[in-house]
Amino acid sequence: MELTGKTARYLLATCARSLFSGLFPARCIACHGKVDHRESDICSECIGEMPLNKHCCPRCAVPLAKEHPNGVICGRCIRQQPAFDYSYSLFRYEGIIVSLIHQLKFSQKIGHARSLGALLAEGSAEYVNKNGLPDGLLPVPLHRRRLRQRGFNQSSELARMLASRWSCPVIFDEVERGRKTESQTGLSAKQRKKNIRGAFTLASEVTFDHVLIIDDVVTTGSTVNELARLLKKAGVKRVGVLSVARAPMKQ
């Protein structure tokens, strides 16, 4: 049987990919062991060790002790409800997840955003469908000076991955970080709240009714709460928060 040019090129490309995979097997970005398939950069063993955020506050997603009644909101949300309507974090911020996110943010491992974004899209699918697909995704903005230093916004890279899965737009230009804030690392919850107050501004009108804020890690929730407060003031009816990981509440 004579092969057409298109079929021959396809078979040649398939053979080349197979040969390349055999000579240069994919390596897990967490343990550097072999990955059996090209669809993921994280091996199944490492994925199995990642700390799922199963026991958490249903409103702000903060990890809670197993003794806390499941489905009951945390004490902080009881005292003062957050500006956002719902929140979901796939993992607890510990173990392998801390290492991968640090590599993404501080070691220029921008490719990690694809792997973490794929895990987030798959792991949050049921929760997102339950709350309805958003009209737009808002990655937490970086100040332009920090963006120049880092070269990319990790939240934007995660949002791009999610947008390609869910076919919804990413809000890049409507909201900006107009004031350069002190790093939130090492600050208490009260200090974080004060530090981030008024840091975000609207560059143009936000026309969406339902916005999902995207972040890599939510620590105290001050940053995403400030963004949600701004969006609600701008007329957005429903605001959710989605992050790769959520840090436990400090005692």
Side-chain angles (χ1 to χ4, degrees):
M1 182 179 66
E2 185 178 353
L3 297 178
T4 63
K6 187 175 181 180
T7 302
R9 286 194 298 272
Y10 173 78
L11 290 175
L12 182 61
T14 301
C15 291
R17 281 196 298 270
S18 179
L19 178 62
F20 184 84
S21 297
L23 293 174
F24 305 101
R27 295 289 175 177
C28 173
I29 61 175
C31 70
H32 307 295
K34 289 183 180 180
V35 177
D36 295 331
H37 49 81
R38 287 281 176 179
E39 286 76 17
S40 173
D41 292 327
I42 306 176
C43 68
S44 56
E45 288 79 7
C46 285
I47 291 175
E49 292 177 8
M50 290 180 175
L52 289 171
N53 191 26
K54 290 182 177 180
H55 201 83
C56 60
C57 173
R59 183 67 189 270
C60 72
V62 68
L64 298 172
K66 292 182 180 179
E67 293 76 21
H68 188 91
N70 203 20
V72 177
I73 65 175
C74 68
R76 190 167 58 173
C77 286
I78 291 174
R79 290 191 298 272
Q80 183 176 3
Q81 290 190 358
F84 48 83
D85 299 290
Y86 63 93
S87 178
Y88 182 83
S89 294
L90 182 58
F91 300 110
R92 293 176 179 236
Y93 189 54
E94 56 189 52
I96 295 174
I97 292 299
V98 175
S99 175
L100 290 177
I101 290 179
H102 276 211
Q103 290 173 37
L104 168 62
K105 293 172 70 171
F106 307 121
S107 299
Q108 302 294 313
K109 300 289 187 180
I110 191 171
H112 285 15
R114 181 177 68 86
S115 297
L116 292 173
L119 288 177
L120 185 58
E122 182 179 349
S124 65
E126 183 178 347
Y127 191 85
V128 171
N129 289 334
K130 174 184 171 184
N131 286 280
L133 279 174
D135 302 319
L137 304 177
L138 173 62
V140 173
L142 289 179
H143 187 269
R144 57 184 177 276
R145 191 179 302 173
R146 185 161 294 169
L147 182 60
R148 284 198 300 270
Q149 291 172 345
R150 186 170 294 170
F152 66 95
N153 180 349
Q154 69 280 356
S155 297
S156 294
E157 298 307 314
L158 290 169
R160 291 180 202 274
M161 186 68 189
L162 296 170
S164 67
R165 294 290 186 95
W166 298 337
S167 300
C168 59
V170 180
I171 303 169
F172 286 119
D173 303 319
E174 289 88 337
V175 181
E176 61 183 21
R177 200 168 192 142
R179 177 170 61 82
K180 188 179 185 300
T181 57
E182 181 184 348
S183 173
Q184 297 278 70
T185 304
L187 299 182
S188 66
K190 186 176 181 180
Q191 290 170 328
R192 284 171 177 259
K193 186 176 181 180
K194 182 179 179 181
N195 184 47
I196 204 69
R197 192 73 173 179
F200 302 106
T201 57
L202 288 178
S204 59
E205 183 183 4
V206 178
T207 58
F208 301 114
D209 289 331
H210 182 187
V211 173
L212 187 59
I213 299 170
I214 307 298
D215 205 0
D216 55 342
V217 181
V218 173
T219 306
T220 64
S222 298
T223 300
V224 292
N225 195 67
E226 182 67 11
L227 275 172
R229 190 183 66 82
L230 178 69
L231 291 171
K232 287 292 186 73
K233 190 176 179 180
V236 178
K237 295 182 176 65
R238 189 165 172 77
V239 178
V241 177
L242 180 64
S243 66
V244 175
R246 184 69 156 92
M249 192 182 298
K250 291 185 178 180
Q251 301 298 323

